[in-house]
Amino acid sequence: MSTPEQDLLRRALGVLTEMAPAALELGEQFRASGHELSLVGGPVRDAFLGRASNDLDFATSASPDQTQKILARWGDANWDIGREFGTIGARRGDVVVEVTTYRTDRYDPASRKPLVEFGDSLDGDLSRRDFTVNAMAVRVPDLTFVDPFNGLSDLAAGVLRTPIAPERSFDDDPLRMMRAARFAAQLSFHVEQGTLAALVAMAERIEIVSAERVQAEITKLLLSDNPRAGLEVLVDTGLADQVLPELPALQLEIDEHHRHKDVYQHSLTVLEQAIAQETGPDGPVPAPDLVLRLASLLHDIGKPATRRFEPGGGVSFHHHEVVGAKLTAKRLKALKFEKQVVKDVSRLVELHLRFHGYGDGVWTDSAVRRYVTDAGPLLERLHRLTRADSTTRNKRKAKRLSDAYTDLEDRISVLREQEEIDAIRPDLDGTQIMEILGISPSREVGEAYKYLLSLRMERGPLGEEVATEELKKWWADR
């Protein structure tokens, strides 16, 4: 019977022997010039997992200048945007390669930027990789497997372990701690105990890393197939206290009567349920959707600040959606997320209770119009967030909420057929308002516009004639 490692080797051999001939030819050119070239990192790991890639990372003994000369002969195009870090890129047909000179990285304790030092051996280069599963290499063109840190065994066991002492590895580049959480999410691997202990001991060291690099890791984690696993690593090790403190703050103490559910676990469940509702590429919310996932994770972060213990043992969180929206915007800005992402996620957090605000009665047309208008282009995401936010174990209650939301969606569909509720505008525009009232551009025009818009919300399309009459009445009575 074969071992797990032997099974992985056979799988990798099948992937690597089908590697683009152009990549093997590149290895021939480096060897002819007297240099080593090895496939490294993610492409090697993925080959063992049975995944092929046309984006290939290589390490070489050649200097950046020597690498660029070879790539200029080999590729259709080449670029040196990563020269500072020893990396030269090139493209040949569908194959994209990045070739990096052997190196070591380390941080100055007072600086946020890594210091790059070029190395002189493949084993030395692999030792600076984040985890053993990413510290394997395949020399090209002869396809010799190099595994100085037993990464293949860790890959077979689903373990994340640093190739050198974790304290030294994380001190050299603290972002590797974030990568532990990210790979736990992407690969569904668990972190080895010694590495986990170092994460806990060194969590504060992440402060030296720029917000942009931290945000990139959080984004990759959230867009993975299993973000819950990565988020739990962040929270359990204390890393989240440094980069996303609002998340562990959701671990509120459950009251003695157990009437208050764990908001942290609830939020992770909402995230998973929202992910399950993402659509295919042609649907309204193609997976993976960063905005929906962020909003699902953060929708209740206003609860700790608004928690009140009521007489009789109850707990309330009045206006936590408003507080949460502000906290969300503040945190995402600090993490340097794009402005539109910050705006959309905080808006969804603000709106996530809107459905419940209308009570159990039949929705009026006016309420439906306001719901759609307030959500705007975020409506499909709001649908999914609202449905995902139901984590009750009471099947009867869950069905009642689901049926009520289905009814709302049906009402929206009906009104869409009757009127353009996705882009509601008053029946008269600003120019018409000024002409009817005989006024110039002014604050009064804006007030008139808002009045007509409120009528449109309440009563639906009025038509220009009725809208003109209502405008004149409003003007006379003001």
Side-chain angles (χ1 to χ4, degrees):
M1 180 180 291
S2 62
T3 66
E5 289 87 345
Q6 290 172 330
D7 291 339
L8 288 173
L9 275 170
R10 276 194 292 271
R11 181 187 297 169
L13 183 62
V15 172
L16 293 172
T17 52
E18 295 179 6
M19 186 189 302
L24 299 179
E25 181 186 326
L26 181 61
E28 294 280 9
Q29 292 194 22
F30 270 82
R31 182 163 64 181
S33 298
H35 306 299
E36 298 176 358
L37 185 71
S38 298
L39 186 69
V40 294
V44 177
R45 179 198 68 223
D46 289 346
F48 283 104
L49 296 175
R51 307 168 187 164
S53 173
N54 281 334
D55 293 341
L56 304 176
D57 296 327
F58 291 92
T60 182
S61 58
S63 70
D65 287 341
Q66 293 167 330
T67 295
Q68 189 161 27
K69 290 178 181 178
I70 296 172
L71 290 179
R73 296 194 301 268
W74 171 84
D76 303 323
N78 68 89
W79 51 91
D80 64 354
I81 192 171
R83 177 181 289 274
E84 178 185 358
F85 301 99
T87 301
I88 308 296
R91 176 189 297 275
R92 180 169 172 177
D94 294 332
V95 179
V96 177
V97 303
E98 286 193 344
V99 182
T100 303
T101 301
Y102 295 155
R103 69 188 191 188
T104 58
D105 287 352
R106 65 182 179 85
Y107 266 75
D108 181 328
S111 172
R112 288 180 177 269
K113 295 183 179 180
L115 304 173
V116 177
E117 298 177 357
F118 294 133
D120 56 10
S121 72
L122 177 59
D123 282 9
D125 184 85
L126 294 176
S127 73
R128 56 164 286 278
R129 304 282 163 168
D130 46 17
F131 302 102
T132 59
V133 296
N134 295 326
M136 301 179 289
V138 176
R139 294 186 185 275
V140 290
D142 53 355
L143 299 183
T144 301
F145 178 51
V146 181
D147 184 17
F149 304 104
N150 297 315
L152 186 58
S153 295
D154 285 343
L155 190 68
V159 172
L160 292 171
R161 183 197 319 269
T162 55
I164 58 177
E167 295 82 4
R168 178 184 163 193
S169 179
F170 296 152
D171 192 54
D172 285 346
D173 184 357
L175 191 67
R176 291 170 183 159
M177 295 188 290
M178 294 293 299
R179 292 195 192 117
R182 190 241 295 182
F183 285 122
Q186 289 182 331
L187 303 174
S188 293
F189 284 9
H190 68 272
V191 183
E192 177 267 337
Q193 284 301 315
T195 304
L196 192 66
L199 284 172
V200 174
M202 301 182 67
E204 292 184 2
R205 179 81 169 120
I206 197 67
E207 292 180 351
I208 199 68
V209 181
S210 70
E212 289 86 353
R213 297 183 75 206
V214 169
Q215 181 254 103
E217 290 299 322
I218 291 175
T219 297
K220 292 174 184 176
L221 186 161
L222 285 175
L223 295 181
S224 71
D225 291 337
N226 184 22
R228 184 181 195 130
L231 292 167
E232 288 176 340
V233 170
L234 289 181
V235 172
D236 293 347
T237 60
L239 277 168
D241 290 321
Q242 308 300 318
V243 300
L244 195 61
E246 294 81 5
L247 186 58
L250 293 176
Q251 295 176 306
L252 299 174
E253 180 180 344
I254 300 176
D255 66 279
E256 60 179 339
H257 301 292
H258 297 280
R259 296 175 181 173
H260 171 46
K261 59 189 172 186
D262 185 326
V263 184
Y264 166 65
Q265 292 296 333
H266 163 75
S267 297
L268 295 182
T269 300
V270 172
L271 171 62
E272 290 179 321
Q273 293 185 167
I275 290 172
Q277 295 182 61
E278 292 174 338
T279 67
D282 297 325
V285 185
D289 189 87
L290 180 61
V291 168
L292 176 61
R293 295 186 181 200
L294 280 168
S296 301
L297 180 65
L298 303 177
H299 73 286
D300 273 346
I301 65 171
K303 280 191 170 181
T306 58
R307 181 172 62 161
R308 298 291 182 271
F309 294 100
E310 305 293 347
V315 182
S316 66
F317 304 95
H318 296 308
H319 305 301
H320 77 266
E321 73 280 13
V322 177
V323 173
K326 293 178 180 177
L327 291 174
T328 295
K330 182 178 180 181
R331 175 54 52 195
L332 296 186
K333 287 177 182 176
L335 288 169
K336 306 298 184 183
F337 277 93
E338 294 180 3
K339 290 182 179 179
Q340 192 62 49
V341 171
V342 175
K343 180 179 178 182
D344 289 348
V345 175
S346 56
R347 182 61 169 159
L348 282 172
V349 172
E350 182 182 3
L351 293 174
H352 83 272
L353 286 183
R354 184 65 60 87
F355 166 71
H356 302 283
Y358 288 105
D360 297 328
V362 177
W363 284 51
T364 64
D365 287 349
S366 174
V368 175
R369 292 188 194 101
R370 291 185 184 280
Y371 192 81
V372 173
T373 302
D374 288 346
L378 299 173
L379 182 63
E380 289 292 344
R381 290 184 176 110
L382 183 58
H383 285 335
R384 284 153 178 79
L385 174 57
T386 303
R387 286 188 178 278
D389 195 23
S390 175
T391 60
T392 178
R393 295 179 181 178
N394 185 320
K395 293 183 178 180
R396 181 177 299 178
K397 181 179 179 181
K399 184 178 186 306
R400 178 172 57 80
L401 288 171
S402 178
D403 289 348
Y405 205 82
T406 298
D407 180 66
L408 170 60
E409 290 178 313
D410 291 342
R411 293 288 306 286
I412 290 173
S413 297
V414 170
L415 279 181
R416 272 194 176 128
E417 293 178 1
Q418 298 173 350
E419 53 186 275
E420 297 179 1
I421 61 169
D422 292 306
I424 289 179
R425 298 289 185 273
D427 296 85
L428 303 174
D429 60 26
T431 301
Q432 292 171 305
I433 290 172
M434 289 187 288
E435 182 179 338
I436 292 168
L437 299 181
I439 58 177
S440 302
S442 60
R443 181 170 54 83
E444 284 81 3
V445 177
E447 292 175 354
Y449 187 92
K450 289 180 181 179
Y451 173 72
L452 290 176
L453 179 60
S454 67
L455 283 182
R456 172 70 174 81
M457 287 285 191
E458 292 295 333
R459 295 162 54 179
L462 301 176
E464 289 188 17
E465 184 176 343
V466 174
T468 298
E469 293 178 2
E470 294 292 344
L471 175 63
K472 290 179 177 178
K473 290 180 183 177
W474 171 80
W475 184 252
D477 294 340
R478 63 188 294 277

